[in-house]
Every structure is written in structure tokens, then in C-alpha cells.
Amino acid sequence: MTTADHLDRAVADPIGLVAELVADIEKELGTEAIRAVVTAVAGGRAKSRRLADALEKRPAVLTDGRSPAPRAIGDLLIELRKAGASAIAAPVCAECGKLLRTFQRQGQDWYCSVCGQETAECIACGNIRRVGFRDRKGLPRCKMCPDTDDRDPVTVVHELITTIAPGADRDAIAEALRRTAPQRPTYRQRLVWALEENPRLLTGEGYLAPHRAILRFIDLLHEAGVAGIVRPACPRCHRVVRVDKPLNGQRVCRNCIAKSRIEECVRCGARREPAIRDTRGRPLCPNCLVTDPANVEICIGCGNRRRVQNRTSDGPLCPNCCPLPILVCSICGRTAPGTHSRLTGLPRCGGCDRRQAHCTSCGRLRGIHSGTAEAPICGPCTAPDAALWRPCPTCGEAERLRSSGPCPRCTLKQRLHELLANGSGSMSPKLQALHDALASTERAATGLRWLSGGIVSTVLSDLGSGRRLLTHEALDELPGGKVVEHIRSVLVASGALPRRDEQMVRLERHVKDLVASHATAEGRKILHRYATWHLLRRLRRRSRGKETTYYQLQVARQHLRAGVYLLDWLEGQNLTLATCRQTDLERWMTSEDAPLRQEAGHFVRWALAQKIARDLSFPAERWNGPSQPMDDEARWATARRLLHDDTLKPEDRLAGLLLLLYAQWPAAISRLTVDHIEKTDAGVRIRLGAVPVELPELVAELALQQVEVRRSHAVLARTDWSWLFPGGQPGRPISAWAMGERLRKLGIRLAEARSTALFQLATELPAAVLARTLGIDITVAVKWQRAAAGDWGAYAAEVSRRNSEA
């Protein structure tokens, strides 16, 4: 066999070539055993070709075991000897000549564990020795001078995180730290050092992480629900995705890495990230890689040797044998897997095949068959052929029916009548409104799927037959869950049920269960007074008839649980609130098992005011200004991105700008309605407080666009709800938590961004104007003005001077 034949086989059959070269030397192992070892070591196509090429150029490495040679050859020698080969040499250390069972390499040379170690001057003792490890600053140390740190890594990280999110669960942090590097405690220690040096890695600057494990740690904390932890956004494209690729001292996403590696393909001239390089080191794009004659394979569909389009578990498929060919859609223009339309003969992608839109010819909501993405045309208008579009036997509308039954819209109406009608076939007025709302939904198939899911049909049938009363109390008897809550929201949005404060109901139920579960009768009595006549009463007074927000619910729950924890501890110490003294209270406050100790101060001060406790002191924390760092430059950079980045969703851009420019908390943003947007001849204004604010041009465009295109994700047709940011449940806005998550995915640190905006506005506006404009309490505005060191002593004089001049 000539050298040219070997080179051809190194590309066409690398495994067979390597197995033959080994079999020529090793006579004791069988051919099948040798091929099995070679297959296991060779790996993928590129690696196997490099292995075959290197062995073909220097087959003597099989008998002398000497480098330089690729790592794959050393692995092959070791595995062959483990399989029983006697004529195959073991790898040899390039420096001392020792036979190796495992090895490390520098470039193409192999070394044993002694010779391959790096030597340098130890930063501690100054001796030139082998580098045992590197300290927290990355400086070399010998094994005699370890960089010791006797602190518990979990304790250090927990203290760092509690400065960001007070009350963070220590066990959740410990589990996340363990899972970050389960078998490498020294690596966990380096992670802790890095976080200690820059805690802001946990609050959005994770792209500066020196170690990859920090990003894994942030993801685990985020999954565990630790508050205040922000997943980093890619510093280049600003998307909140996986960022673990180092680039110029930062960690970026895979797409940005690909863009940074763009080169011109030497074959076709396309500028893309190289998929491989030829023998001269020149880049080849992915298309040239798969179309290279050396890379074509036998298609399992047609049996021809062709370019591989798809790989299945049975083998490769060529482009002609793929189930869905790649086509340029005639409707949306995308290049995607699709089919040819039977009506027009033109290609149509899978997305347009499933998408529905209002036809520009007849105006009905139907499936798209022709036209463009901006001007779609339905099937009957594309090909008005009576043989294709049979009329529905119920409504008479032309549809492409798959069976002799009615169309989906009529099927939905029949199913609703079966569920909501009583035994006599009639329907109550309230359920009739529900029937009309569900029957007029834009997507009949969505309504049918909703009726067939979970317990929806059972509940609606019970309501229609009268087996269950149409009341909130009757629905409360059902097992709790999202399905029941969605049914309730549909009934409320259609007018079948009156609206009620669901968060307040949840809080009342939580109070009842928590108080009833307390051990002592005296404790239950105190908790009932505290929850009913203080927490709930104050919350109702502050809500002023509005629905309770999720965050208000959480604060009330924390205050109540803090009181429970304190009473439980007093009971364990054979004490009560009446017999508790200051030393006892301070002993509990300083103990390790005292959760929500700051929230417990609210309970203690209430007990003192009610004469339940005496001689106790639990001072309230005074707010002395924002604790988060103020980064006005980052705030404006994010605002500019939201103003001009058209790739982001318009509703997310508008919500982010309301936070960054007008210091609106997600709870306030989520409860805005279209009535808060006022369009006049002078411009567009938004009413956040008592005084409307005129919006800049770009923000005004986003606001008007959101008013027009806002859309809920519910099964109902659009009712009279007017939420600017509708939620997944009909008739309800997006939750404050969901709004916060959407803003966090934009890379916005909520508390820091709002504090920075309020701080800046407080330096420019008086407290009274700030309160009326932003809709915040006057006391809050005064505190922010003092924190910003604003001096408005001359403001009235300036306004008076301007009025007199006018």
C-alpha cells in the first residue's frame, strides 16, 4: 500500500487504517479486539482522522512510545496494553524515559508527574521549587507553603449574601456551594475568595467572574430562590443567557464568541465562525465542511454517498431523504424546514402552517395559506373552490373539514352548551355571559384544549347543573392550584362571579391556619389579636379599596411568622410575653436559631403598645438612605439600550424605562391601565401620581404601541379589562413577581436601579412635587430628599421671581 493510499484511508476509513497499523505489530491480540480499542479511543470523525494521520506518518511510535505525538496516540498505547498487547510500547516520559501508565503533556511532549511539573519562585519562602498550587492572588507556592484559610466557606458566602438579601437560607446556600464543585474543595475556596473580593458578581456582574464555577453557583442560587441574586447578562448582546466563554477579560455568550471568531472561508469566501481548518491551517466554514467530498457519507434512505443533512439513531440522511426539507417560506421569507402548499404549490414553513391571522380579504381569523406576513390570506380566499372548502353543517361557513362533523367553532359552542346548560337545556344569565365569552375566543382550538384539561369540564358541569353553587366559597372547597384559580379568574372576567381581593383571602386563610396550629391557647389568642386587629386592619386601611399586592401579602406573612417564632421560643424557655424580660429577648435575638429577628421587632412593639408585654425594648431601624450602590452611569446606559434596541419586546422596554426614569416599582408598573396614558395635542402623558408626566418621544411611542397591541394569554375573548400589562389570567394584570422577573432578564437590578432613579430625582425636585409626580408618599419623598442632601430653601423664591417676571 502506497503513502497516497494511506492518506486517502486516513480520511475515508481512519479506524480501519489505525487498526491495520496496530495489527501489523501486535500479533497476540485479535483483529476485533484491536478495532474495539481503537474505536473507543478514536472518538469522533475529526479526532480519528488526526490519529490515523499521525500514526501513518510515524508508525514507530507504536514500538518506542516516544513523543512528540498527539495525546490520542498516548491514550491508544495505554489502552492497548491494558487489553493485553505485548508488542505495543508504553508511553515514555520525554525527560526521564520512565514508562507511563498515565501522563500529562506540554504541547506534543509527554511527561511523568515529576518531570512535567512547573517550577517557579515560591511567593512565600522564595525558593525555586515545583509549583504546588497558586494562592488567591494567582501567585505560585510550593507544597511547603500552603495558602491556608481556616474559615468555613459556607459561613463566608452566607455573610456576603445576607448583605444583599437579609434572611437568605443558609442551607440553600450551602447546598448550592457543594453542588458547584462537589469533588474539589480547593476550587470552592477559590470561588469564595473571588466572591469576597467582588461581591457584585452575585448582583449582575457575574460576567466578570474569574472562575467558571461562579456562574454555576449563581444559577444554583437563582434556582433555589435566594432573593437578590441576579443572573448576569452578556456584556455584548445584553441577553440573560449562559455566559461562560472568556473574551477580553469578560465572559460572554456563545453567540458573541462566534461573532468574535468570524473569519473568511478560503473556499467560498463566506464570513463565519470556522468549523475546521485545512491542512495548512486555513479556515473552512460549516457549509464547506459538510460539502467536502471527504465528509460525504452513505445515506440510509437512498443508499447513495451524499452530504449529510440530518443524523438519526439509525444513521445519516441526505437532503433528499429528510422528512422536512429546508425551504424559503413564500409567506414570511424565512429559510426553515417546511412543505409545499397543496393550494398554491409554494413552500410554506411549519410556523406559517400553524399560524392563524385575520385575512386581509375576508377579515376572518383563519389559517394562513398565501399572501405575506403583513398581508395574510386565508385558504378560501386563496383558492375559492367549493370542492375544497365544504360548508360547516351547523354555521354554513366554508371550512376545510377533516370529517363530517361541525367546524371547531361550532364544536366549541356545542361543548360549552353541554357543560353549562341545566337538565332542561336552559342556562342562567351569569353562565350565559361565560358561554358567550368563551365561544367568541379568537382561537377555538385553544378553548377546546382548555375545556378538556384537568378538572375544568367537571367544575363547569357542576356549576351548570347546580351541583355546585356559583360562589367564591364553593370554589374555595376545591383543591387549591393554578387550574382552579384560572377557572375563578375566567368566571370573574366574564361577570359570572364578583371580583374579590384574592391576595387578602389567601392572607386570611394563612392567618387562620397558622394561628390554629400554635400549641398554647394563650399564644393563639395573642396571634389572633395581632393578625386580625393589627396586620389585616392596617393592610385594609392602606389598600384604600384596592387589591392587595403580592409583596404586601409577603410582608404580612413574615411579620406573623416572626411572632410565631418568638412565641415558640418563649414557650420552650417556659416564658410568656408577660414574663419575658429584656435579657431574655436579647438572648433570643443573639441566638443562631432566631429567624426573622428584625420582623419580630414589629410584633414586640405591638405587644408593648397593647400592654401584653412590659419592660422590653426593641427599637425600629431608622432608614438613613439607600444601602444599594448608586450607579447613575449604568442606569443611563441601560435606559439608552431600552430606548433603541428593537430586538427586545416593546412591553419589556416600556416597563424597564418606567423603572429607570420614573422610579416605579414592578408592583406599580404591573397595575397601570390604559387610562393612565393620556394622548393630547401637546404630546403623550402618563399619570403615575396626582400630576401627569409628559413622556419623551421614544417612550411615548412605546406607550402608545403597548396600548394598541397589548394582549392577554387567556382563553377568553377580549373583555372590558384595561390593564396596560395584562397577565396570563383573564381580567387580571401581570403579577408584580412576573414583572420583576422580566426586568431582571433584561439585566436590570431592580432595587439598585430604583434607588438610583429616586436619588437623582430627589436632587432635582422638591419633596412635594416628587410625591405628586411619582405617586409616592410625602414622607418617603422627604426622606429621599434628605438622603440626597437636597436644599430647596430658595425654590419658593425662585418660583415667585419667575411668576413676577411673567
Side-chain angles (χ1 to χ4, degrees), residues 548-564:
T548 308
T549 66
Y550 173 79
Y551 292 109
Q552 289 175 325
L553 170 69
Q554 289 298 97
V555 169
R557 281 181 173 180
Q558 288 181 355
H559 285 167
L560 182 58
R561 286 199 301 269
V564 172

Side-chain angles (χ1 to χ4, degrees), residues 476-495:
D476 291 338
E477 298 173 358
L478 295 170
K482 292 185 177 180
V483 177
V484 175
E485 292 305 315
H486 197 275
I487 296 174
R488 188 193 307 274
S489 64
V490 169
L491 292 171
V492 171
S494 61

Side-chain angles (χ1 to χ4, degrees), residues 22-31 33-34 80 83-88:
V22 174
D24 291 340
I25 299 173
E26 179 56 46
K27 304 300 182 182
E28 293 186 7
L29 284 180
T31 304
I34 292 175
L80 287 172
S86 58
I88 300 298

Side-chain angles (χ1 to χ4, degrees), residues 365-385:
L365 182 70
R366 289 181 170 180
I368 300 173
H369 284 263
S370 63
T372 63
E374 292 76 18
I377 300 176
C378 66
C381 295
T382 299
D385 188 351

Side-chain angles (χ1 to χ4, degrees), residues 94-113:
E95 185 172 332
C96 65
K98 176 182 176 181
L99 300 181
L100 305 175
R101 288 181 297 178
T102 61
F103 64 96
Q104 54 189 358
R105 62 190 180 95
Q106 295 179 4
Q108 292 283 311
D109 293 320
W110 306 333
Y111 292 93
C112 63
S113 59

Side-chain angles (χ1 to χ4, degrees), residues 692-740:
V693 181
E694 186 171 350
L695 295 176
E697 181 179 356
L698 295 179
V699 183
E701 292 178 1
L702 290 174
L704 295 178
Q705 181 180 359
Q706 180 63 15
V707 171
E708 294 296 328
V709 304
R710 62 195 173 93
R711 178 182 179 184
S712 175
H713 304 287
V715 297
L716 283 181
R718 181 170 293 189
T719 56
D720 57 352
W721 50 264
S722 59
W723 301 111
L724 187 62
F725 298 95
Q729 294 184 352
R732 300 189 63 85
I734 186 174
S735 66
W737 178 86
M739 176 61 74

Side-chain angles (χ1 to χ4, degrees), residues 620-628 630 754-755 758-759 779-788:
E621 289 188 359
R622 184 175 181 180
W623 189 76
N624 295 317
S627 59
Q628 296 285 345
M630 315 297 284
R754 183 174 183 268
S755 297
L758 266 178
F759 191 86
T779 58
V780 176
V782 170
K783 290 180 180 180
W784 274 100
Q785 180 181 323
R786 291 173 180 171

